[in-house]
């Protein structure tokens, strides 16, 4: 089954905040540089790679201290984009930045325009980097403009562009039967074709104060990917080179596939 992963062409890769920034160590610039190298190599090989990157709010909070998420995003997004520009520039890989709110992907015409823009960038070997427009996006009444988190954003992007594969890079190796930090005997699932609701309810809702996601969010995303017949892999991205292993069909992380 992992052999099919090698044939994936349009690939959405989501990178979590925990890989890019932490309260203790600040911005992980070396991870950003290595990620840029790997994604540039994959693009040169002919893969059509789309990066959904968290981190703007987390970077802003580490730079500014206790401010609103909107203010943190306004500062952090500029810093994050600058870091990506520098890292990809070293690889001579051109990138494009897209900041989204939910309505862009909620309405047929704007979603079609978004997909058309993405495919035009990919056709010109330009790597799209996508994030939520956290600085200004807000829910109001029945109007939902925000995404639950960037896990949901990555799934909606994958559906909009008809992606072959969604790779979720986090600070966990995959999905375990129990919390591996609480139970050393917990086993990691290699493959799941369906997700039990109990599994979602028992999962951790959040990773840390800088991010909105968590294992529960990853499972909800995987459930949506399975329903849309999109293969998804959850893996540890602290070593960005793991993407080479994943796309070579190696048994890395947890594969969600029917």
């Amino acid at each position: 089954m992992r052999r099919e992963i090698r044939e994936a062409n349009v690939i959405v890769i989501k990178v979590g905040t925990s890989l890019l920034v932490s309260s203790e160590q600040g911005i992980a610039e070396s991870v950003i540089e290595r990620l840029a190298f790997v994604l540039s190599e994959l693009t040169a090989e002919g893969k059509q790679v789309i990066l959904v990157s968290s981190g703007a709010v987390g970077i802003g909070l580490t730079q500014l201290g206790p401010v609103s998420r909107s203010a943190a995003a306004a500062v952090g997004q500029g810093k994050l984009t600058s870091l990506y520009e520098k890292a990809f520039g070293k690889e001579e890989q051109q990138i494009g930045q897209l900041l989204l709110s939910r309505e862009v992907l909620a309405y047929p015409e704007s979603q079609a325009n978004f997909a058309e823009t993405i495919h035009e960038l990919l056709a010109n070997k330009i790597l799209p980097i996508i994030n939520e427009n956290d600085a200004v996006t807000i829910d109001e009444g029945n109007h939902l403009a925000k995404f639950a988190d960037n896990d949901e954003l990555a799934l909606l992007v994958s559906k909009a562009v008809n992606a072959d594969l969604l790779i979720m890079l986090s600070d966990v190796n995959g999905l375990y039967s129990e919390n591996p930090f609480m139970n050393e005997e917990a086993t990691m699932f290699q493959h799941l074709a369906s997700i039990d609701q109990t599994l979602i309810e028992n999962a951790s809702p959040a990773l840390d104060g800088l991010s909105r996601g968590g294992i529960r969010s990853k499972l909800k995303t995987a459930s949506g990917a399975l329903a849309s017949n999109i293969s998804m892999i959850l893996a540890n991205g602290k070593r960005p080179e793991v993407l080479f292993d994943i796309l070579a069909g190696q048994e890395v992380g947890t594969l969600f596939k029917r």
Side-chain angles (χ1 to χ4, degrees), residues 87-211:
F88 280 100
K90 289 182 180 179
E91 307 301 330
E92 298 184 350
Q93 172 61 55
Q94 193 168 2
I95 61 175
Q97 174 78 66
L98 297 93
L99 298 178
L100 303 183
S101 57
R102 180 182 287 276
E103 55 259 34
V104 173
L105 299 177
Y107 297 102
E109 288 188 10
S110 57
Q111 182 185 112
N113 184 65
F114 163 77
E116 183 178 343
T117 300
I118 292 293
H119 287 299
E120 182 178 358
L121 291 172
L122 295 174
N124 286 281
K125 302 293 184 180
I126 301 170
L127 194 149
I129 300 180
I130 301 172
N131 197 357
E132 181 173 7
N133 194 1
D134 286 297
V136 297
T137 304
I138 189 171
D139 292 337
E140 184 176 352
N142 294 325
H143 178 69
L144 300 179
K146 293 186 68 63
F147 300 99
D149 48 43
N150 272 1
D151 295 341
E152 181 190 28
L153 171 57
L155 174 61
L156 294 176
V157 167
S158 299
K159 292 166 67 174
V161 302
N162 294 316
D164 302 311
L165 177 65
L166 169 59
I167 301 176
M168 307 286 287
L169 294 182
S170 186
D171 58 358
V172 295
N173 294 331
L175 178 66
Y176 286 80
S177 57
E178 299 178 62
N179 188 330
F181 299 108
M182 303 293 291
N183 183 358
E184 294 181 355
E185 297 183 358
T187 57
M188 192 182 84
F189 297 106
Q190 295 294 326
H191 172 231
L192 285 175
S194 62
I195 298 175
D196 189 283
Q197 183 63 29
T198 304
L199 201 59
I200 296 178
E201 293 172 354
N202 292 338
S204 171
L207 294 170
D208 58 47
L210 297 182
S211 63

Side-chain angles (χ1 to χ4, degrees), residues 16-36:
T17 296
S18 60
L19 299 179
L20 304 180
V21 60
S22 69
S23 302
E24 298 78 21
Q25 299 179 350
I27 303 170
E29 292 192 35
S30 64
V31 173
I32 293 174
E33 290 172 355
R34 286 154 56 205
L35 180 64

